[in-house]
């Protein structure tokens, strides 16, 4: 009997909470959620932003494009893919444009790569960034 009472009280509390928030406009609910979950600004040295596309990759040897910005760094200096330098995730990495406001690099997915996830790091001369590349091969 005690278990049923606790379940009923919890259910009433949940219902009251939902009804109470239902009277608030939807825009206000979303605004409150995003205001409280804003991410803090990254520390100096870790402000470069990097993306890899396509992500996830689906073929060995597939060409990917690495883009982003240096977040105050001097320009794209290097791209490192993976933690193990003997078996990197990407090979044949070429910096196409080292512009700190919008860099572009190209690379190919290693022919011996398997399914998984690997980090892709960028060095922007004072700022660094990282993203994850997912492989489904």
């Amino acid at each position: 009997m005690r278990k049923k009472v606790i379940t009923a009280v919890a259910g009433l509390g949940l219902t009251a909470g939902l009804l109470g928030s239902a009277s608030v406009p939807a825009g206000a609910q979303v605004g409150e959620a995003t205001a409280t979950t804003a991410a803090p600004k990254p520390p100096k040295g870790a402000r470069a932003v990097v993306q890899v596309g396509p992500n996830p990759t689906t073929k060995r040897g597939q060409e990917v494009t690495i883009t982003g910005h240096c977040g105050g760094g001097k320009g794209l200096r290097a791209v490192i893919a993976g933690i193990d330098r003997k078996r990197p995730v990407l090979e044949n990495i070429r910096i196409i444009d080292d512009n700190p406001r919008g860099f572009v690099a190209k690379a190919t997915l290693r022919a011996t790569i398997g399914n998984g996830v690997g980090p892709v790091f960028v060095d922007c001369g004072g700022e660094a960034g990282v993203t994850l590349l997912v492989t489904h091969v």
Side-chain angles (χ1 to χ4, degrees), residues 58-71:
T58 56
K59 296 184 295 191
R60 292 180 178 101
Q62 181 175 9
E63 184 172 75
V64 297
T65 304
I66 300 115
T67 58
H69 65 80
C70 289

Side-chain angles (χ1 to χ4, degrees), residues 7 15 20-21 45 58 72 102 113 120 124:
T7 305
T15 304
S21 66
T58 56
I113 201 76
V120 176
C124 280

Side-chain angles (χ1 to χ4, degrees), residues 5-121:
V5 171
I6 292 172
T7 305
V9 170
L12 287 172
L14 179 61
T15 304
L18 290 174
L19 291 175
S21 66
S23 63
V24 179
Q29 291 174 357
V30 172
E32 290 171 1
T34 56
T36 60
T37 59
K41 187 175 181 181
K44 180 125 180 77
R47 294 184 181 164
V49 174
V50 60
Q51 299 91 26
V52 179
N55 195 3
T57 57
T58 56
K59 296 184 295 191
R60 292 180 178 101
Q62 181 175 9
E63 184 172 75
V64 297
T65 304
I66 300 115
T67 58
H69 65 80
C70 289
K74 297 175 181 150
L76 183 61
R77 303 286 187 255
V79 177
I80 301 167
I83 296 173
D84 184 356
R85 289 193 159 246
K86 293 179 184 176
R87 293 183 305 256
V89 175
L90 300 173
E91 55 190 8
N92 193 25
I93 299 171
R94 307 164 312 280
I95 296 174
I96 308 299
D97 185 359
D98 66 352
N99 185 341
R101 291 192 177 137
F103 60 77
V104 177
K106 300 271 186 180
T108 53
L109 190 61
R110 188 177 173 97
T112 58
I113 201 76
N115 292 326
V117 63
V120 176
F121 302 95

